Amino acid sequence: MLQQTAVNVPSRSSAIVAVEKLVKRFGQFTALNDVNLTVAAGEKIVLCGPSGSGKSTLIRCINHIERHDSGRIVVTGVELTDRMTDINSVRREVGMVFQSFNLFPHLSIVENCMLAPIKVRGLSRKEARERAMGVLRRVRIHDQADKYPGQLSGGQQQRVAIARALCMQPKVMLFDEPTSALDPEMVKEVLDTMMGLARDGMTMICVTHEMGFAREVADRVVFMDRGTIVEEADPETFFRAPRTERAKGFLQQIIH
């Protein structure tokens, strides 16, 4: 049963992302069960919870990497369950950053960032390079533009992955544990980049165990367990006085 504090949850009609009664199964295993979530434009949502709770599956369904079994997902006003929907047109508006960087090793950093705007948005090479360089400056890695991914650290590669997504000028950014594959000393540079995006007003849904980031950036923390949303609240309330025993136990394990 969802425990919700007095947090400002957007209505479905005003939401840039709306998930309703979502169910996703892998064979006999139910990964998501009756999940409801709304996200307003400019809102920052942190999804947290134990491994296997459905966090990553949820954002993969929002980007339609995984197809859900029942329920509704509406992204930027387009329903993903509508057979007439052009999924690629929806994905143009939704940037996604994964645990692994997924950069093309044979392309330079700037070429990695130019590719999708040229192929999908129809930009000229000149326009795409100008946009890419502007975004690389934004994430403070423009000085590496002509290097190749293998020449960069993990933290630098993840910032390039963020820049590549931003080059499509998305309306929503999804992050699936973007720091989990990084050495500890590289985590801060990626989180700083994400905090910068948050300050700029980007709509963000982040799966992360970085609770300091959640405290500082999130408008809402959504706690999941066993494929359901158990509790959601503003960060101060969630960390100070979680309502469920399951959330209390989770926080005791990860916050020392």
Side-chain angles (χ1 to χ4, degrees), residues 58-82:
L58 176 55
I59 63 170
R60 289 171 69 88
C61 285
I62 291 172
N63 201 34
H64 216 58
I65 295 171
E66 298 287 355
R67 293 179 179 270
H68 54 287
D69 292 292
S70 62
R72 298 177 71 232
I73 304 174
V74 180
V75 180
T76 64
V78 179
E79 183 165 351
L80 300 192
T81 39
D82 188 334

mmCIF file of all heavy atoms in Angstrom, residues 58-82:
data_model
loop_
_atom_site.group_PDB
_atom_site.id
_atom_site.type_symbol
_atom_site.label_atom_id
_atom_site.label_comp_id
_atom_site.label_asym_id
_atom_site.label_seq_id
_atom_site.Cartn_x
_atom_site.Cartn_y
_atom_site.Cartn_z
ATOM 1 N N LEU A 58 11.053 0.305 -14.488
ATOM 2 C CA LEU A 58 10.101 1.393 -14.662
ATOM 3 C C LEU A 58 10.601 2.418 -15.662
ATOM 4 O O LEU A 58 9.877 2.796 -16.594
ATOM 5 C CB LEU A 58 9.809 2.056 -13.309
ATOM 6 C CG LEU A 58 8.898 3.288 -13.348
ATOM 7 C CD1 LEU A 58 7.573 2.982 -14.026
ATOM 8 C CD2 LEU A 58 8.673 3.818 -11.928
ATOM 9 N N ILE A 59 11.841 2.876 -15.515
ATOM 10 C CA ILE A 59 12.285 3.909 -16.458
ATOM 11 C C ILE A 59 12.548 3.314 -17.845
ATOM 12 O O ILE A 59 12.414 4.016 -18.849
ATOM 13 C CB ILE A 59 13.499 4.711 -15.943
ATOM 14 C CG1 ILE A 59 14.738 3.861 -15.756
ATOM 15 C CG2 ILE A 59 13.149 5.450 -14.670
ATOM 16 C CD1 ILE A 59 15.978 4.712 -15.496
ATOM 17 N N ARG A 60 12.871 2.032 -17.921
ATOM 18 C CA ARG A 60 13.023 1.403 -19.229
ATOM 19 C C ARG A 60 11.672 1.270 -19.928
ATOM 20 O O ARG A 60 11.591 1.343 -21.161
ATOM 21 C CB ARG A 60 13.705 0.036 -19.087
ATOM 22 C CG ARG A 60 15.180 0.148 -18.718
ATOM 23 C CD ARG A 60 15.785 -1.205 -18.380
ATOM 24 N NE ARG A 60 15.896 -2.056 -19.544
ATOM 25 C CZ ARG A 60 16.941 -2.065 -20.368
ATOM 26 N NH1 ARG A 60 17.974 -1.258 -20.162
ATOM 27 N NH2 ARG A 60 16.973 -2.880 -21.402
ATOM 28 N N CYS A 61 10.612 1.117 -19.161
ATOM 29 C CA CYS A 61 9.268 1.128 -19.749
ATOM 30 C C CYS A 61 8.889 2.536 -20.209
ATOM 31 O O CYS A 61 8.250 2.702 -21.263
ATOM 32 C CB CYS A 61 8.241 0.609 -18.741
ATOM 33 S SG CYS A 61 8.262 -1.183 -18.486
ATOM 34 N N ILE A 62 9.276 3.547 -19.442
ATOM 35 C CA ILE A 62 8.956 4.929 -19.825
ATOM 36 C C ILE A 62 9.626 5.282 -21.147
ATOM 37 O O ILE A 62 9.062 6.021 -21.968
ATOM 38 C CB ILE A 62 9.384 5.899 -18.703
ATOM 39 C CG1 ILE A 62 8.480 5.712 -17.474
ATOM 40 C CG2 ILE A 62 9.337 7.352 -19.180
ATOM 41 C CD1 ILE A 62 8.940 6.472 -16.246
ATOM 42 N N ASN A 63 10.823 4.727 -21.394
ATOM 43 C CA ASN A 63 11.515 4.960 -22.664
ATOM 44 C C ASN A 63 11.177 3.901 -23.713
ATOM 45 O O ASN A 63 11.719 3.916 -24.809
ATOM 46 C CB ASN A 63 13.032 5.000 -22.448
ATOM 47 C CG ASN A 63 13.755 5.713 -23.565
ATOM 48 O OD1 ASN A 63 13.241 6.665 -24.139
ATOM 49 N ND2 ASN A 63 14.948 5.248 -23.881
ATOM 50 N N HIS A 64 10.307 2.978 -23.323
ATOM 51 C CA HIS A 64 9.813 1.908 -24.205
ATOM 52 C C HIS A 64 10.917 0.968 -24.663
ATOM 53 O O HIS A 64 10.811 0.314 -25.704
ATOM 54 C CB HIS A 64 9.067 2.492 -25.409
ATOM 55 C CG HIS A 64 7.898 1.645 -25.834
ATOM 56 N ND1 HIS A 64 6.851 1.332 -24.989
ATOM 57 C CD2 HIS A 64 7.606 1.046 -27.025
ATOM 58 C CE1 HIS A 64 5.974 0.589 -25.626
ATOM 59 N NE2 HIS A 64 6.406 0.390 -26.860
ATOM 60 N N ILE A 65 12.001 0.897 -23.873
ATOM 61 C CA ILE A 65 12.999 -0.142 -24.108
ATOM 62 C C ILE A 65 12.392 -1.491 -23.719
ATOM 63 O O ILE A 65 12.644 -2.508 -24.360
ATOM 64 C CB ILE A 65 14.279 0.145 -23.303
ATOM 65 C CG1 ILE A 65 14.922 1.437 -23.808
ATOM 66 C CG2 ILE A 65 15.269 -1.012 -23.390
ATOM 67 C CD1 ILE A 65 16.060 1.924 -22.955
ATOM 68 N N GLU A 66 11.606 -1.477 -22.649
ATOM 69 C CA GLU A 66 10.808 -2.643 -22.259
ATOM 70 C C GLU A 66 9.339 -2.342 -22.552
ATOM 71 O O GLU A 66 8.858 -1.237 -22.264
ATOM 72 C CB GLU A 66 10.962 -2.940 -20.758
ATOM 73 C CG GLU A 66 12.370 -3.283 -20.314
ATOM 74 C CD GLU A 66 12.821 -4.658 -20.746
ATOM 75 O OE1 GLU A 66 12.007 -5.408 -21.327
ATOM 76 O OE2 GLU A 66 13.999 -4.984 -20.510
ATOM 77 N N ARG A 67 8.642 -3.288 -23.113
ATOM 78 C CA ARG A 67 7.213 -3.126 -23.382
ATOM 79 C C ARG A 67 6.419 -3.629 -22.173
ATOM 80 O O ARG A 67 6.632 -4.743 -21.716
ATOM 81 C CB ARG A 67 6.800 -3.910 -24.631
ATOM 82 C CG ARG A 67 7.409 -3.344 -25.910
ATOM 83 C CD ARG A 67 6.980 -4.167 -27.108
ATOM 84 N NE ARG A 67 7.542 -3.626 -28.328
ATOM 85 C CZ ARG A 67 6.946 -2.699 -29.081
ATOM 86 N NH1 ARG A 67 5.763 -2.238 -28.719
ATOM 87 N NH2 ARG A 67 7.516 -2.254 -30.176
ATOM 88 N N HIS A 68 5.527 -2.811 -21.678
ATOM 89 C CA HIS A 68 4.741 -3.202 -20.511
ATOM 90 C C HIS A 68 3.581 -4.099 -20.936
ATOM 91 O O HIS A 68 3.182 -4.119 -22.103
ATOM 92 C CB HIS A 68 4.233 -1.969 -19.749
ATOM 93 C CG HIS A 68 3.484 -0.989 -20.594
ATOM 94 N ND1 HIS A 68 4.090 -0.172 -21.513
ATOM 95 C CD2 HIS A 68 2.159 -0.699 -20.645
ATOM 96 C CE1 HIS A 68 3.188 0.593 -22.102
ATOM 97 N NE2 HIS A 68 2.006 0.289 -21.601
ATOM 98 N N ASP A 69 3.049 -4.841 -19.964
ATOM 99 C CA ASP A 69 1.982 -5.800 -20.251
ATOM 100 C C ASP A 69 0.599 -5.189 -20.144
ATOM 101 O O ASP A 69 -0.308 -5.557 -20.898
ATOM 102 C CB ASP A 69 2.102 -7.007 -19.307
ATOM 103 C CG ASP A 69 3.344 -7.829 -19.617
ATOM 104 O OD1 ASP A 69 3.382 -8.448 -20.692
ATOM 105 O OD2 ASP A 69 4.283 -7.828 -18.802
ATOM 106 N N SER A 70 0.418 -4.275 -19.209
ATOM 107 C CA SER A 70 -0.870 -3.588 -19.100
ATOM 108 C C SER A 70 -0.663 -2.256 -18.382
ATOM 109 O O SER A 70 0.402 -1.995 -17.807
ATOM 110 C CB SER A 70 -1.896 -4.446 -18.351
ATOM 111 O OG SER A 70 -1.482 -4.700 -17.019
ATOM 112 N N GLY A 71 -1.687 -1.419 -18.429
ATOM 113 C CA GLY A 71 -1.591 -0.079 -17.870
ATOM 114 C C GLY A 71 -1.294 0.935 -18.958
ATOM 115 O O GLY A 71 -1.257 0.606 -20.155
ATOM 116 N N ARG A 72 -1.072 2.172 -18.557
ATOM 117 C CA ARG A 72 -0.855 3.265 -19.506
ATOM 118 C C ARG A 72 0.425 4.024 -19.169
ATOM 119 O O ARG A 72 0.737 4.225 -17.997
ATOM 120 C CB ARG A 72 -2.026 4.262 -19.480
ATOM 121 C CG ARG A 72 -3.355 3.697 -19.885
ATOM 122 C CD ARG A 72 -4.450 4.749 -19.750
ATOM 123 N NE ARG A 72 -4.332 5.804 -20.766
ATOM 124 C CZ ARG A 72 -4.306 7.102 -20.495
ATOM 125 N NH1 ARG A 72 -4.366 7.522 -19.241
ATOM 126 N NH2 ARG A 72 -4.216 8.000 -21.477
ATOM 127 N N ILE A 73 1.123 4.454 -20.208
ATOM 128 C CA ILE A 73 2.246 5.379 -20.063
ATOM 129 C C ILE A 73 2.053 6.496 -21.073
ATOM 130 O O ILE A 73 1.900 6.234 -22.276
ATOM 131 C CB ILE A 73 3.608 4.693 -20.330
ATOM 132 C CG1 ILE A 73 3.806 3.481 -19.419
ATOM 133 C CG2 ILE A 73 4.749 5.688 -20.141
ATOM 134 C CD1 ILE A 73 5.069 2.687 -19.735
ATOM 135 N N VAL A 74 2.035 7.734 -20.583
ATOM 136 C CA VAL A 74 1.917 8.897 -21.450
ATOM 137 C C VAL A 74 3.158 9.754 -21.239
ATOM 138 O O VAL A 74 3.470 10.144 -20.110
ATOM 139 C CB VAL A 74 0.642 9.712 -21.149
ATOM 140 C CG1 VAL A 74 0.549 10.921 -22.077
ATOM 141 C CG2 VAL A 74 -0.604 8.828 -21.295
ATOM 142 N N VAL A 75 3.893 10.017 -22.315
ATOM 143 C CA VAL A 75 5.121 10.806 -22.250
ATOM 144 C C VAL A 75 4.994 11.983 -23.209
ATOM 145 O O VAL A 75 4.727 11.786 -24.396
ATOM 146 C CB VAL A 75 6.347 9.952 -22.628
ATOM 147 C CG1 VAL A 75 7.623 10.789 -22.559
ATOM 148 C CG2 VAL A 75 6.471 8.742 -21.705
ATOM 149 N N THR A 76 5.154 13.178 -22.696
ATOM 150 C CA THR A 76 5.013 14.426 -23.469
ATOM 151 C C THR A 76 3.722 14.427 -24.274
ATOM 152 O O THR A 76 3.678 14.851 -25.429
ATOM 153 C CB THR A 76 6.229 14.680 -24.395
ATOM 154 O OG1 THR A 76 6.305 13.645 -25.389
ATOM 155 C CG2 THR A 76 7.524 14.719 -23.581
ATOM 156 N N GLY A 77 2.649 13.924 -23.645
ATOM 157 C CA GLY A 77 1.330 13.943 -24.263
ATOM 158 C C GLY A 77 1.037 12.803 -25.216
ATOM 159 O O GLY A 77 -0.058 12.736 -25.785
ATOM 160 N N VAL A 78 1.988 11.886 -25.396
ATOM 161 C CA VAL A 78 1.807 10.773 -26.330
ATOM 162 C C VAL A 78 1.690 9.479 -25.545
ATOM 163 O O VAL A 78 2.546 9.168 -24.710
ATOM 164 C CB VAL A 78 2.992 10.681 -27.315
ATOM 165 C CG1 VAL A 78 2.801 9.500 -28.262
ATOM 166 C CG2 VAL A 78 3.139 11.980 -28.094
ATOM 167 N N GLU A 79 0.642 8.702 -25.828
ATOM 168 C CA GLU A 79 0.448 7.439 -25.118
ATOM 169 C C GLU A 79 1.235 6.331 -25.803
ATOM 170 O O GLU A 79 1.044 6.059 -26.996
ATOM 171 C CB GLU A 79 -1.035 7.065 -25.054
ATOM 172 C CG GLU A 79 -1.264 5.786 -24.259
ATOM 173 C CD GLU A 79 -2.710 5.579 -23.856
ATOM 174 O OE1 GLU A 79 -3.523 6.499 -24.040
ATOM 175 O OE2 GLU A 79 -3.013 4.482 -23.352
ATOM 176 N N LEU A 80 2.110 5.668 -25.039
ATOM 177 C CA LEU A 80 2.972 4.645 -25.614
ATOM 178 C C LEU A 80 2.211 3.373 -25.963
ATOM 179 O O LEU A 80 2.696 2.560 -26.747
ATOM 180 C CB LEU A 80 4.119 4.309 -24.651
ATOM 181 C CG LEU A 80 5.062 5.448 -24.269
ATOM 182 C CD1 LEU A 80 6.282 4.892 -23.558
ATOM 183 C CD2 LEU A 80 5.483 6.265 -25.467
ATOM 184 N N THR A 81 1.033 3.187 -25.385
ATOM 185 C CA THR A 81 0.261 1.975 -25.667
ATOM 186 C C THR A 81 -0.575 2.108 -26.932
ATOM 187 O O THR A 81 -1.170 1.141 -27.374
ATOM 188 C CB THR A 81 -0.652 1.663 -24.471
ATOM 189 O OG1 THR A 81 -1.179 2.876 -23.956
ATOM 190 C CG2 THR A 81 0.103 0.967 -23.378
ATOM 191 N N ASP A 82 -0.622 3.281 -27.521
ATOM 192 C CA ASP A 82 -1.364 3.490 -28.760
ATOM 193 C C ASP A 82 -0.580 2.870 -29.920
ATOM 194 O O ASP A 82 0.579 3.201 -30.148
ATOM 195 C CB ASP A 82 -1.559 4.995 -29.002
ATOM 196 C CG ASP A 82 -2.488 5.280 -30.166
ATOM 197 O OD1 ASP A 82 -2.593 4.417 -31.076
ATOM 198 O OD2 ASP A 82 -3.102 6.362 -30.180
#
